[in-house]
Amino acid sequence: MSDMKAVRFDHYGDVDVLEVRRVPRPSPGTGEVLVAVKAAGINPGETVIRRGAMSGPLPTGQGADLAVVSSSSNVVSVLPHTLPSGQGADLAGVVVEVGPGVETLTVGEEVLGFCPRNKRVSQAEFVVVPASNLTLKPSAVSWEVAGALFTAGTAAYAAVRAVELAVGDTVAVSAAAGGVGTIAVQLAKRAGATVLGIAGPSNDDWLSAHGVIPVNYGDNLPDRLKAAAPQGRVDAFLDFFGGGYVKLAVTDLGVPPLRVNTLIDFAAVATFGVKAVGHIDAANVGVLAELAKLIADGDLEIPIAAVYSLDEVREAFRALEQRHTRGKIVLLP
Ligand SMILES: NC(=O)c1ccc[n+]([C@@H]2O[C@H](COP(=O)([O-])OP(=O)(O)OC[C@H]3O[C@@H](n4cnc5c(N)ncnc54)[C@H](OP(=O)(O)O)[C@@H]3O)[C@@H](O)[C@H]2O)c1
């Protein structure tokens, strides 16, 4: 049987638990295809999982990336994670084998997509995925961008949709230049909103070039946000950083709770009654194809901060965990 390289971990902990091993190459079952992975994005939620925060029944408020939040009830449920584990949901690559019953894809087609939530193994040379989790990659979209799109793109899409932006609204976005933020600020602009992007000074130029008003994090942030807003008023808030931004939005800026969406601060969801709509709410190939078309048409940019080989997975996560990435970090198997 042929084998392949893949990221694995047997214990919860720091980046050092991550290993790149030779493992058997999987075969596609009914409705599945085998993809030779060209690029696989990495995400902060994978750090949450690797540290063990999703390893058992969890109270509301813990574990970011796998938390499923009903947008109507704000009820959080979680998927327990088990060991040993692979890693990664995002992927782009070439179909190399098609399982029984697959009629939508053929060998040789270039695709992007995602692993099922209970089988996250895209950080590998090959991955088996349900055909229904894949869409064709437009040729104008690079491998790096296609492989980085799923988690951040669908999270940004769902979060922007959740706060129901209209022309004339002003929305503030924390972590505006990160993996999710760079996409969300552009989608919010497309919805007709004025966008205030909260990040450090090194991102001022990128945000301005994308029509976003940069506002640096730091002292007196609520006053500086209000001063930067055209009508002195912030109508909606997208929190991609945590650490008090929900409280700032509701109590300091007076944003109505149902126009605040956080991807990370689940404790604040219970306290302030804000939304926590995440990527699960837009995790489908229709949304992926829509985002890929925007990119192919030149209407959406996904900045790639750095690429690493699969063997450099620990270095890639050390960089991501600094929380100062502009756009996405991608592994190229
Ligand atoms: N629930 C879901 O569906 C879901 C999906 C995806 C992600 N997430 C979560 O969403 C969050 C964002 O993910 P990501 O991939 O976008 O993260 P990321 O790329 O690591 O975010 C980096 C960004 O954070 C900014 N930043 C650093 N310190 C900040 C501060 N004090 N205030 C405001 N911004 C600050 C950085 O700006 P500077 O470089 O200028 O400092 C940079 O723009 C993570 O917590 C992740 O777990 C959740």
Side-chain angles (χ1 to χ4, degrees):
M1 183 195 293
S2 42
D3 64 2
M4 66 170 188
K5 281 205 260 186
V7 174
R8 292 284 186 270
F9 59 100
D10 298 332
H11 309 281
Y12 294 117
D14 207 345
V15 285
D16 293 338
V17 302
L18 295 175
E19 293 183 0
V20 177
R21 291 195 197 136
R22 296 219 75 92
V23 300
R25 188 189 295 190
S27 297
T30 302
E32 296 177 330
V33 301
L34 180 69
V35 177
V37 180
K38 294 282 193 184
I42 68 170
N43 291 284
E46 289 149 18
T47 296
V48 174
I49 295 170
R50 193 199 67 227
R51 287 180 177 152
M54 311 299 293
S55 57
L58 296 171
T60 297
Q62 288 187 30
D65 200 48
L66 282 185
V68 180
V69 182
S70 154
S71 45
S72 53
S73 63
N74 283 334
V75 172
V76 178
S77 66
V78 294
L79 175 73
H81 179 264
T82 54
L83 294 171
S85 180
Q87 185 169 262
D90 306 0
L91 68 105
V94 179
V95 174
V96 290
E97 204 180 322
V98 172
V102 174
E103 289 169 5
T104 50
L105 291 169
T106 55
V107 169
E109 285 184 318
E110 298 183 348
V111 292
L112 70 151
F114 56 102
C115 289
R117 291 180 60 220
N118 60 354
K119 203 176 171 198
R120 298 176 155 234
V121 288
S122 67
Q123 291 162 19
E125 289 180 310
F126 295 88
V127 63
V128 163
V129 204
S132 56
N133 284 22
L134 299 169
T135 186
L136 293 177
K137 181 184 83 65
S139 57
V141 178
S142 71
W143 285 118
E144 289 88 342
V145 165
L149 192 58
F150 169 64
T151 303
T154 55
Y157 188 101
V160 169
R161 187 170 61 186
V163 297
E164 298 176 8
L165 296 174
V167 175
D169 279 346
T170 297
V171 59
V173 183
S174 63
V180 181
T182 49
I183 303 172
V185 295
Q186 295 175 78
L187 296 179
K189 285 290 298 176
R190 291 183 64 78
T194 297
V195 183
L196 310 178
I198 305 166
S202 68
N203 284 304
D204 286 359
D205 289 348
W206 187 91
L207 291 167
S208 298
H210 290 77
V212 177
I213 301 169
V215 182
N216 296 151
Y217 46 75
D219 293 342
N220 305 319
L221 182 58
D223 290 340
R224 289 186 291 114
L225 286 167
K226 282 186 226 168
Q231 278 104 29
R233 186 193 73 232
V234 177
D235 303 295
F237 200 104
L238 295 169
D239 173 34
F240 303 144
F241 193 78
Y245 279 108
V246 169
K247 182 170 184 288
L248 179 151
V250 176
T251 61
D252 297 334
L253 298 176
V255 180
L258 291 180
R259 300 205 70 198
V260 177
N261 192 77
T262 181
L263 288 185
I264 172 105
D265 192 351
F266 294 102
V269 174
T271 306
F272 295 101
V274 300
K275 292 180 176 176
V277 176
H279 78 280
I280 304 289
D281 294 84
N284 62 71
V285 289
V287 170
L288 259 189
E290 189 179 331
L291 293 171
K293 182 173 186 325
L294 286 174
I295 296 165
D297 291 347
D299 293 327
L300 179 65
E301 182 199 333
I302 314 292
I304 300 299
V307 297
Y308 292 85
S309 70
L310 202 60
D311 288 330
E312 296 172 314
V313 63
R314 293 180 183 177
E315 288 84 346
F317 273 91
R318 281 193 192 100
L320 182 73
E321 289 168 16
Q322 301 300 310
R323 302 184 82 182
H324 294 295
T325 304
R326 181 185 303 151
K328 294 295 301 176
I329 293 177
V330 190
L331 299 177
L332 302 184

